[in-house]
Amino acid sequence: VSSSMQDARALLDSLMGPSRDKSMEEQQKVDGWKDKEVCKRFLVGFCPNSCQDNWFHNTRRKDINVCNKIHSDRLKTDFEQHPDHDKYAIDYEKEFLTFLEGLVREADAWIARETANCTGPGIVTKMPQSTRQKMYDLQERAEQMMKQAEELAEGGNMQASKLAVEQANRMREEAKEIKTKHTFESQGEKVCDICGVRCNPDEPADYKAHLDGRLHEGYTKIRAKVKELREKIRLLPAEDKSDRDRDRDRDRDRDRRRESDRDRDRDRDRRRDGGGDRDRRRSRSRERRRR
């Protein structure tokens, strides 16, 4: 399937839901959001790595996998209006919080690495290439003029030699002024403590562009959502937490019992097969003795 067809399919899913090709009865269901192919993070907030709108696209964060699930505004509305919304929302939000906290940890680790690679503060000379070339030309001409002054002095033309020296000094002074004009005390590189982008505050336009960038905006939203969800879960009534924990433990116990039953069945089958093999071996042995 071509990427353009996948994009078109994802767009239709987002607008009409995953049951758009199914019967009218299926399409009218209001709990299609339960489908395993539907992104639950999107239902309770947003999906920063959605295949349709990946915040990390064209960045150096290559280790963040793309989410290829369905991100449907219609299903989100159905979920928000469903009578069981609150029952499911808190579990979806807990999973969403775990995911976002993982992104924040990765960002913080990135920030630590980038901070170690920053250029520190100090004296810096920065100028356009044309200005730098002009400074080099002045310095070169000054050197040539000094050589000419020496040759004139050796030839006994002291007056001309003196004038040549004066010209060389003026050129050197002009070159020095150009360098001084473009030399300043740099603050050094800094790493944004929100998104981890390394930038230079000495370049106001570049620094502002980073603040207005997609990555910074995304991590600002992620960190705000983490703070919001932590507070929301912290304020849950104790009985709600304990009931949900009991339900989760009950589900886990049921799964463990099922797995244990399957293990016992497999052991019983192996023993039965092993017993059959022993019976067959005994039968063959008796048959050989009779012969």
Side-chain angles (χ1 to χ4, degrees):
V1 182
S2 67
S3 60
S4 58
M5 290 181 64
Q6 288 178 330
D7 292 342
R9 183 178 299 168
L11 177 61
L12 288 173
D13 284 342
S14 69
L15 294 173
M16 304 171 64
S19 61
R20 56 189 169 79
D21 295 327
K22 299 181 181 178
S23 67
M24 185 60 66
E25 181 181 356
E26 285 290 318
Q27 291 186 38
Q28 291 175 345
K29 287 175 61 178
V30 293
D31 61 352
W33 46 267
K34 291 182 180 179
D35 192 293
K36 65 180 182 179
E37 295 302 319
V38 174
C39 177
K40 303 306 187 287
R41 299 165 193 161
F42 180 77
L43 294 181
V44 293
F46 50 85
C47 183
N49 56 327
S50 162
C51 57
Q52 299 159 255
D53 185 28
N54 186 0
W55 299 357
F56 308 104
H57 182 60
N58 288 334
T59 71
R60 292 164 62 194
R61 317 297 164 88
K62 303 297 185 184
D63 52 344
I64 299 176
N65 295 326
V66 174
C67 175
N68 290 303
K69 292 192 174 184
I70 295 168
H71 305 86
S72 167
D73 291 327
R74 174 192 157 181
L75 292 178
K76 189 171 189 175
T77 300
D78 289 347
F79 173 65
E80 291 170 347
Q81 296 175 351
H82 198 278
D84 291 336
H85 170 269
D86 292 347
K87 173 183 174 182
Y88 287 90
I90 190 61
D91 288 332
Y92 292 168
E93 286 174 336
K94 286 180 178 179
E95 189 277 333
F96 187 34
L97 175 59
T98 299
F99 172 73
L100 294 181
E101 287 177 330
L103 292 181
V104 170
R105 281 194 300 272
E106 291 175 3
D108 290 342
W110 181 281
I111 290 169
R113 290 193 298 269
E114 287 294 284
T115 299
N117 295 326
C118 279
T119 301
I123 303 298
V124 174
T125 300
K126 296 183 73 172
M127 64 183 75
Q129 183 57 38
S130 58
T131 304
R132 187 177 296 277
Q133 188 59 51
K134 180 181 179 180
M135 182 183 71
Y136 289 155
D137 290 345
L138 285 168
Q139 291 171 339
E140 185 177 352
R141 286 164 56 196
E143 290 297 323
Q144 292 172 352
M145 193 62 69
M146 286 300 294
K147 289 179 181 178
Q148 184 179 343
E150 291 176 4
E151 292 172 358
L152 289 169
E154 289 174 358
N157 192 344
M158 302 304 294
Q159 185 65 27
S161 175
K162 182 180 179 182
L163 289 174
V165 170
E166 290 174 354
Q167 281 184 294
N169 287 338
R170 281 196 297 269
M171 291 177 189
R172 285 175 172 171
E173 190 62 31
E174 187 176 352
K176 183 179 178 181
E177 288 176 359
I178 291 175
K179 183 175 182 180
T180 300
K181 183 178 179 180
H182 293 86
T183 299
F184 58 93
E185 180 76 31
S186 172
Q187 301 178 52
E189 292 180 319
K190 295 187 183 299
V191 176
C192 176
D193 58 4
I194 298 295
C195 66
V197 168
R198 196 189 332 172
C199 45
N200 193 337
D202 299 329
E203 303 288 346
D206 290 346
Y207 188 71
K208 187 177 187 306
H210 135 259
L211 292 176
D212 296 336
R214 187 85 182 281
L215 193 65
H216 184 87
E217 179 186 354
Y219 273 109
T220 299
K221 192 172 182 179
I222 288 169
R223 290 180 184 275
K225 194 66 175 179
V226 165
K227 184 177 181 181
E228 173 194 327
L229 290 176
R230 282 175 176 170
E231 184 66 10
K232 182 175 182 178
I233 292 171
R234 185 183 70 82
L235 294 176
L236 278 176
E239 59 270 20
D240 284 0
K241 292 180 183 177
S242 59
D243 287 346
R244 292 182 185 280
D245 289 342
R246 278 196 297 272
D247 290 342
R248 186 167 55 250
D249 292 341
R250 190 183 307 116
D251 290 341
R252 288 173 179 167
D253 289 341
R254 185 173 60 249
D255 291 341
R256 281 195 289 268
R257 284 195 299 272
R258 287 175 179 169
E259 186 63 30
S260 178
D261 290 342
R262 284 195 292 268
D263 290 341
R264 280 197 297 271
D265 290 342
R266 284 194 292 267
D267 290 341
R268 190 182 308 115
D269 291 341
R270 281 195 294 268
R271 287 195 297 272
R272 186 183 305 118
D273 292 342
D277 291 342
R278 285 193 298 273
D279 291 342
R280 283 190 290 273
R281 285 196 295 272
R282 292 193 191 105
S283 177
R284 284 195 295 269
S285 178
R286 285 195 297 270
E287 186 67 24
R288 282 194 296 271
R289 284 198 296 273
R290 281 198 294 271
R291 290 175 185 171

